[in-house]
């Protein structure tokens, strides 16, 4: 069978599929001149290979599975998913290895399928990443429960002095409601920064990834642990979807204030060509055109509107606030070839300072992506 | 079907093939003792895994394709071809991603199929490399037109301050002439070094890659842009081929001289075992034996003679001159297993200085390569 | 056919198989507090992705083969096996490229199949590694002869100044004896450290790899060459095996003493579930359960006891001595999914010094591994 690449399988439970993805981005960001920290040098138009991944996934008899993705972006190696899984029964799966620790609806949605080129500001700012650990996923038609115990991300944990660990969980209810599906979820994380260096940092890029700059940034702050809570709600009916997520993270700093930073977004989207909003099992799924360009059709076209908010000011920490109004156009030419164009208008406060001493201003970002995957 | 590795395909347009190559080299270079810049430490006999690549390529219904090669040589990661392609019609293909920017006949020939272990001196000296960009290729039986707009190579462009870009084009006519094929081509590049660091450098190794030394070298020179022109001519008839290429690159240096450096080579070759000189569609192709060692034959044997010239002296820049007379023996044991032995005698002028203060001398290089690919 | 992953082949001699492995470890090491060189920071409990490899292997008509494994562990790239092979006849195979230089029974056994999580102390201490070279393997039913000429490991040899090389050989007799198989072998290496830096170092971790610390360590010592000798003996009958190996390495230091360091281990093991001790052709093989969990069975369970000795004291060099008593439990849930738990008690002398000035003490290590491969 072809799923982008050939998927080989037999009736005993063996299967194997190569995996890969290439994302090529072009983006431009406009902001006031004279920004502090040399930020302007990172602005303007830039091209980027955003992701170049190769990998394998497969299953073995007895409910055993694995996935292994190598991220080769910018000729710098990282491992993405790299895990062994065991399907204990129809509902319960155990996963051991490098994986996403249940961080919420958008973050658990594959980056191939997000409605904007980049995920929400809080997803970047609050340090969402893959970590090595062991997790259990319990799933029925209407309920998803995920919990796991994790060490650090793979490159950090290779240092012996890094003893940090986290406990993560997420619960989702996804009943049918009217003609659509309701999604209600919550997630939590306790993250112990038990290393010899106990610090953290919250910051985010302005809308796109092409500009390697952060206008809002708490800087490095001492902390011994983090607590994070998230809520998520969505409704999908026919080609329409609406989604809202919110997150709050608290840096625990013995002897100092414990600031809490907050972020969230609200989004509505509509598939103009009539395909159903792609949602499946607690995450958004691949937008598959009813008739792709390979069949003489025009593919699927989805338009999305989003308001994104991030507040890195609390207590005595002034990291800045970034609000973004964004619009995106997704064109799935086929199920495996996809183009995204999006524009964001940003309002920044307490941000990187301009030459005039101004720390509140607006910025604009426009980006496009071409993506193939298999 | 087997093309080194299995090629999976169906009749709707899906295909998929793993890719890989290993080249193991041994080489020795002899030059005067006491060379400046510690060059002698790099000479003598050395072994090298010249290339170790893994990757995938495939096609999807609708004329969509991709290629993805990871270069793992020396345990240091780089991406080679990493692109998405779209075959708009029988003649026109668009390519987006990391690719070779139409630099000329030899440079566009896959490194698996070059007649010598290393490409010509100007190919190294003038900074031929893959870049991320978008390109169009128009091809008929007799004509090839290629043009593209490129950002920088993938590791350079990951720095936000790198704003360099280039416009590249190549035109080839390749009519039948007599009992053979004539190849006439020209290429051009405008390269804007629009980064915060605006400099360039031209230099080349002596014949082989095993010695990580350059006896001719302009050193780093300030420049804001580069212009490059190339011409190429070849004639293939039966087992014989003759080819000549020339290139000139000008470093544009506002307020300073604009030196132009030149290089070229002329080559003749003959397949002793009688197979046709392998040429196809504007580049040299794989030498396929009529009867490989897998069929009880002796494979294909090709002998090649080349004179290579590089002049890095112009205006007030003295980078040196390097002339090379080379002979190579290529043995394609099978279509996928190939051995190359080659020898080069070099004449150097204005080159790295010896202990005696001599900057003009000769050097000799002898190298062998074993290569498998799929 | 399925061998973890699908193996594609035809009747002309073509074959191709993807390869991969993931090992996830957790381990804890307990030692006296106040160790010198900050060693305690590396102790305690740690998690690690021990190996994450992807690759390909295949054959081509005419006896040609290749293997290519990329080691992506900790997001840091290295090449493991990367070679071209040629099966000249039924008994003789030539191998060119990056490969293990015949270092002994345990080191030549794939790390997927070793009875403990880590190989013996001398295997680490004496610098066993893959090197680029050319080798010949001659094998009959009862005899194995291996010899090769090697340059250095791939990342070291990329420096031109590294001119080191080694000559390696190994001979094994493996006749049937009674109801079992006897294994008697010897290996030798001459290693010329002909680089501009001529030094070496011998050291080893305490039992596990999770703690990136060496309590015994000669430090860097000048040397111009190394000589190494190894002997190996084993007996396998039914589910039982016994094995003993010993190695001695001499650092040749003109004008200084030539110290000889020694290491060895003795091991017995038994497959409780009754499968035969897995041995084949001069190395230990994969433990394949008669009835894996995929067939409703419990897999194969093997218990192993080992005493390991390493002495890095000789002449005027005091690197320390490390003795380890270890027990391991291997559970092959299926042929491709395997779990190992092992415990080691270590006696250290002349080792890293404690705050009390003590250089002789004991340590304890307990580790577990989950492993999938294809």
């Amino acid at each position: 069978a072809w799923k982008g690449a050939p998927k080989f399988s037999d009736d005993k439970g063996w299967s194997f599929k190569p995996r890969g993805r290439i994302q090529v981005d072009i983006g431009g960001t406009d902001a006031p001149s004279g920004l502090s920290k040399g930020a302007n040098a990172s602005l303007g138009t830039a091209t980027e290979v955003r992701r170049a991944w190769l990998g394998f996934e497969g299953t073995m008899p007895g409910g055993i599975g694995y996935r292994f993705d190598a991220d080769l972006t910018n000729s710098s190696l990282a491992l993405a998913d790299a895990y062994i899984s065991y399907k204990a029964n129809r509902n319960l799966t155990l996963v051991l290895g490098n994986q996403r620790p249940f961080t919420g609806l958008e973050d658990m949605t594959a980056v191939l399928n997000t409605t904007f080129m980049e995920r929400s500001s809080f997803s970047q700012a609050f340090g969402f990443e893959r970590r090595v650990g062991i997790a259990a996923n319990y799933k029925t038609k209407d309920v998803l429960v995920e919990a796991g115990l994790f060490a650090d991300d793979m490159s950090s944990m290779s240092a012996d002095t890094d003893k940090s660990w986290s406990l993560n969980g997420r619960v989702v209810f996804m009943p049918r409601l009217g003609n659509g599906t309701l999604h209600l979820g919550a997630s939590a994380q306790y993250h112990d920064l038990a290393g010899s260096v106990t610090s953290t940092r919250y910051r985010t890029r302005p809308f796109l990834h092409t500009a390697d700059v952060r206008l809002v940034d708490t800087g490095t702050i001492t902390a011994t642990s983090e607590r994070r809570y998230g809520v998520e709600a969505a409704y999908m009916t026919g080609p329409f979807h609406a989604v809202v997520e919110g997150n709050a993270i608290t840096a625990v700093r013995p002897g100092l204030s414990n600031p809490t930073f907050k972020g969230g977004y609200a989004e509505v989207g509509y598939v103009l060509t009539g395909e159903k909003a792609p949602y499946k099992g607690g995450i958004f799924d691949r937008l598959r055109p009813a008739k792709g360009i390979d069949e003489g059709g025009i593919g699927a076209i989805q338009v999305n509107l989003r308001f994104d908010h991030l507040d890195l000011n609390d207590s005595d920490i002034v990291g800045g606030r970034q609000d973004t109004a964004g619009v995106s156009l997704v064109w799935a030419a086929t199920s495996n070839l996809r183009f995204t164009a999006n524009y964001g208008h940003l309002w920044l406060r307490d941000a990187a300072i301009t030459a005039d001493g101004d720390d509140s201003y607006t910025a604009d970002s426009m980006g496009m992506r071409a993506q193939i995957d298999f």
Side-chain angles (χ1 to χ4, degrees), chain A:
Chain A
W2 289 90
K3 299 204 162 192
K7 179 175 177 177
F8 307 98
S9 54
D10 75 355
D11 53 11
K12 288 182 191 152
W14 288 107
S15 75
F16 182 80
K17 197 182 89 65
R19 292 168 56 83
R21 62 184 68 174
I22 303 175
Q23 293 177 334
V24 184
D25 287 7
I26 186 164
T29 300
D30 192 34
S33 58
L35 289 172
S36 56
K37 304 175 197 166
N40 290 100
S42 292
L43 302 178
T45 304
T47 311
E48 180 176 67
V49 175
R50 181 67 176 93
R51 284 181 185 86
W53 291 19
L54 289 180
F56 297 142
E57 67 181 5
T59 58
M60 297 181 179
I64 302 159
Y66 59 88
R67 181 181 288 181
F68 197 150
D69 279 338
D71 176 353
L72 311 177
T73 313
N74 288 325
S75 300
S76 147
L77 176 69
L79 283 177
D81 284 343
Y83 59 69
I84 309 170
S85 65
Y86 174 64
K87 199 167 166 53
N89 62 45
R90 200 168 148 270
N91 301 115
L92 183 65
T93 303
L94 304 177
V95 182
L96 175 68
N98 204 38
Q99 54 187 305
R100 291 198 168 272
F102 328 124
T103 24
L105 173 54
E106 188 186 46
D107 194 55
M108 294 303 285
T109 294
V111 79
L112 296 168
N113 303 331
T114 53
T115 47
F116 283 76
M117 283 167 64
E118 300 302 323
R119 293 191 176 103
S120 59
S121 301
F122 74 79
S123 163
Q124 264 184 68
F126 296 169
F128 290 6
E129 63 184 356
R130 282 180 179 79
R131 289 182 189 147
V132 177
I134 186 159
N137 304 283
Y138 179 86
K139 192 188 279 194
T140 68
K141 200 171 88 51
D142 289 352
V143 175
L144 172 62
V145 181
E146 307 175 287
L149 180 61
F150 298 92
D152 213 333
D153 68 279
M154 218 177 299
S155 56
S156 299
M157 67 189 281
S158 68
D160 278 357
T161 48
D162 178 21
K163 307 282 189 195
S164 78
W165 57 272
S166 70
L167 194 61
N168 291 65
R170 180 176 176 234
V171 179
V172 177
F173 300 92
M174 39 188 172
R176 292 288 304 172
L177 182 71
N179 287 322
T181 302
L182 180 67
H183 171 109
L184 292 174
S187 63
Q189 167 183 273
Y190 174 75
H191 188 198
D192 199 313
L193 304 166
S196 56
V197 178
T198 46
S199 69
T200 186
R201 180 177 199 169
Y202 308 102
R203 56 180 190 163
T204 195
R205 288 182 175 81
F207 194 65
L208 296 178
H209 187 272
T210 40
D212 202 18
V213 66
R214 285 82 171 179
L215 302 175
V216 293
D217 184 351
T218 63
T220 300
I221 58 177
T222 59
T224 58
S225 67
E226 295 177 322
R227 292 188 304 260
R228 192 184 59 75
Y229 300 99
V231 291
E232 46 191 91
Y235 188 70
M236 284 64 59
T237 180
F240 173 82
H241 79 273
V243 54
V244 57
E245 278 196 85
N247 258 252
I249 195 164
T250 302
V252 178
R253 316 194 304 153
L256 296 166
S257 71
N258 295 345
T260 298
F261 305 112
K262 293 180 185 128
Y265 71 89
E267 175 184 301
V268 291
Y270 196 85
V271 185
L272 303 178
T273 42
E275 287 85 352
K276 286 184 62 174
Y279 171 90
K280 192 178 168 188
I283 56 172
F284 286 105
D285 197 13
R286 182 184 298 268
L287 180 59
R288 293 172 199 278
K291 200 170 182 182
I293 59 165
D294 52 322
E295 301 176 298
I298 60 156
I301 297 173
Q302 185 187 35
V303 62
N304 304 284
L305 295 171
R306 171 181 286 217
F307 185 78
D308 179 286
H309 170 71
L310 179 69
D311 185 347
L312 298 181
N313 291 347
D314 193 52
S315 180
D316 53 325
I317 308 289
V318 183
R321 282 185 285 179
Q322 178 175 295
D323 289 329
T324 311
V327 55
S328 80
L329 193 69
V330 175
W331 174 37
T334 72
S335 292
N336 296 94
L337 179 66
R338 177 177 167 131
F339 300 88
T340 305
N342 59 15
Y343 164 76
H345 180 76
L346 294 93
W347 293 269
L348 293 136
R349 278 166 296 176
D350 305 317
I353 299 170
T354 67
D356 300 338
D358 198 0
D359 65 358
S360 293
Y361 43 85
T362 62
D364 293 275
S365 284
M366 174 74 203
M368 290 190 292
R369 170 174 298 172
Q371 167 185 305
I372 200 167
D373 86 292
F374 56 85

